[in-house]
Amino acid sequence: MDQTSSYAVRELDRTAETAWDEFATANGKGTFFHLSGWQRIIGDVLRHPTFYLYCEKDGAIVGILPLAQVKSLLFGNALISSPFLVYGGVVAQDPHAEKLLVEAACRKADELGVDYLEIRNRESSGLGWPCKTNYVTFTKELDPDPEKNLLAIPRKQRAMIRKGIKAGLVADQDPDAGRLYEALLPCKRNLGTPFFSKRYLESIMGEFGDSVEITTITKDSQTVCSVMSFRFRDEILPYYGGGGDLARVLKGNDFMYWAVMERACQDGVRLFDYGRSMEGTGPYRFKKHWGFEPRPMSYEFYLVNSDSMPNLNPSNAKYKLAIDAWKKLPLFAAARLGPPLALSLIHI
């Protein structure tokens, strides 16, 4: 009897969500961005079609692959695992389940007539598809002792953290996204990047509950900077964060990420994930200064109606005029125009 005949690929519905999340958490390749709650965030809040595929064997889930389609007049039509998030791809317990899910994703891409299917892997899948490796991720193991973690940070960066401490900065844990959104909006505008609404941030908090924390840094009760972090297994990932001029003056961002790290290690978190950055950018250099070593990621592409991989990153000269114009917008205009435009920024 063919031992692979009991495998079946299905599309996720509410009845299988618990089993999906248990599998994503138990498998070492699963990430916070593989959790089923993102299907509701991307589908119900951002209004993009989702196709969360899983492979079942003898009634048990043995592989998962989250997918969503993003259509944009400016950036094209793509099927991505996963858009707006930095990690994606197949998580499977055996090669046959992985193969079936990849084949199902390719069929879905052909059926939808997209330009391409993009898989945001942390490591190469070995498929031999066209691949981008200009993104890297930064992770580092934490010691249970905060002082040892501080001393492990290179001296110059450690001095920046101490400046924030001496400036009297205070780290608060926020119950809502109000101060985070106020910090993010000018930060994103200054970078020339449209951003989502406060409702988007609140929907993440509502969906994932205690797995989401917001750390806001203040000086004399004035917001300096803020960051939303995700906890998954024994890891923490600061994800949406930023601050304005005051943060630069007071070394607020340096202090903020240290505050997140300090609190996490005190809670028994083992791994600090600094997330994705593009090589050669400011965020890339900032993370290197913390003593984190970059690890190349593999964003792999199955081309359907496109002849080549897209070049959608902000450094593309094609988008320079739009980015420069966005930087000059008043904040009220960025708040009003940003959310609908952010829905099409599939390079995020």
Side-chain angles (χ1 to χ4, degrees):
M1 178 180 175
D2 182 1
Q3 293 184 347
T4 66
S5 61
S6 60
Y7 287 76
V9 174
R10 309 186 192 283
E11 197 165 319
L12 181 65
D13 60 23
R14 295 293 171 93
T15 63
E17 285 179 351
T18 298
W20 173 294
D21 288 340
E22 288 174 350
F23 180 83
T25 303
N27 190 293
K29 291 186 177 181
T31 74
F32 185 76
F33 303 114
H34 283 89
L35 294 177
S36 65
W38 288 105
Q39 184 179 40
R40 284 186 288 277
I41 300 294
I42 296 172
D44 298 343
V45 179
L46 302 184
R47 300 293 182 183
H48 292 296
T50 59
F51 310 93
Y52 274 46
L53 307 177
Y54 66 92
C55 185
E56 198 174 55
K57 180 184 179 184
D58 299 327
I61 290 180
V62 292
I64 59 175
L65 174 57
L67 294 164
Q69 182 185 15
V70 180
K71 282 185 176 182
S72 165
L73 291 175
L74 185 59
F75 300 116
N77 181 7
L79 185 62
I80 306 174
S81 178
S82 294
F84 314 109
L85 309 174
V86 296
Y87 303 146
V90 176
V91 176
Q93 73 177 35
D94 65 66
H96 187 66
E98 181 173 359
K99 176 175 179 289
L100 290 177
L101 286 166
V102 170
E103 290 175 348
C106 292
R107 286 195 300 272
K108 181 62 70 174
D110 291 333
E111 173 191 320
L112 294 171
V114 296
D115 298 325
Y116 56 87
L117 163 67
E118 178 182 352
I119 304 293
R120 297 181 171 180
N121 298 310
R122 288 199 288 187
E123 299 174 358
S124 174
S125 68
L127 288 169
W129 291 357
C131 180
K132 287 184 179 181
T133 57
N134 57 333
Y135 282 114
V136 300
T137 187
F138 295 83
T139 57
K140 190 174 185 179
E141 291 212 12
L142 296 178
D143 191 276
D145 184 350
E147 188 62 25
K148 289 183 179 179
N149 290 317
L150 184 60
L151 292 175
I153 298 169
R155 180 178 57 84
K156 289 185 177 180
Q157 182 58 44
R158 195 163 64 244
M160 297 297 102
I161 296 169
R162 294 197 188 280
K163 284 183 180 180
I165 295 172
K166 290 178 181 178
L169 299 182
V170 175
D172 296 327
Q173 297 301 306
D174 279 355
D176 58 58
R179 292 196 293 184
L180 172 64
Y181 181 72
E182 290 176 5
L184 276 175
L185 185 60
C187 179
K188 294 293 187 181
R189 189 277 310 272
N190 294 343
L191 292 171
T193 304
F195 189 66
F196 302 110
S197 65
K198 185 171 71 170
R199 175 176 173 260
Y200 169 71
L201 298 172
E202 291 171 341
S203 69
I204 294 174
M205 297 184 74
E207 182 63 47
F208 297 107
D210 292 341
S211 296
V212 180
E213 64 182 49
I214 295 178
T215 304
T216 298
I217 306 303
T218 63
K219 167 69 172 177
D220 299 328
S221 300
Q222 182 178 359
T223 299
V224 175
C225 49
S226 186
V227 62
M228 174 182 281
S229 303
F230 303 137
R231 294 197 181 201
F232 180 70
R233 290 192 295 249
D234 57 352
E235 307 170 12
I236 190 165
L237 169 59
Y239 199 67
Y240 290 120
D245 293 337
L246 192 58
R248 285 188 289 274
V249 172
L250 298 177
K251 310 303 177 189
N253 288 319
D254 306 271
F255 177 81
M256 177 176 70
Y257 288 111
W258 164 246
V260 172
M261 184 182 293
E262 181 182 38
R263 184 170 187 265
C265 77
Q266 290 172 337
D267 288 346
V269 173
R270 182 188 61 85
L271 191 72
F272 191 93
D273 186 341
Y274 236 144
R276 179 193 79 177
S277 291
M278 186 181 296
E279 289 181 328
T281 62
Y284 175 92
R285 291 187 289 272
F286 179 79
K287 294 169 187 178
K288 284 275 289 182
H289 291 161
W290 282 70
F292 284 58
E293 287 301 317
R295 189 176 68 212
M297 300 176 67
S298 293
Y299 281 20
E300 298 174 311
F301 294 82
Y302 169 69
L303 303 178
V304 182
N305 288 319
S306 179
D307 296 327
S308 61
M309 294 184 293
N311 182 16
L312 302 181
N313 69 67
S315 64
N316 187 340
K318 178 180 177 182
Y319 308 117
K320 187 177 185 306
L321 285 177
I323 290 172
D324 289 345
W326 195 264
K327 291 178 180 179
K328 298 174 183 177
L329 280 180
L331 279 182
F332 76 86
R336 185 178 182 85
L337 300 174
L341 289 175
L343 294 177
S344 65
L345 296 182
I346 55 181
H347 70 272
I348 294 176

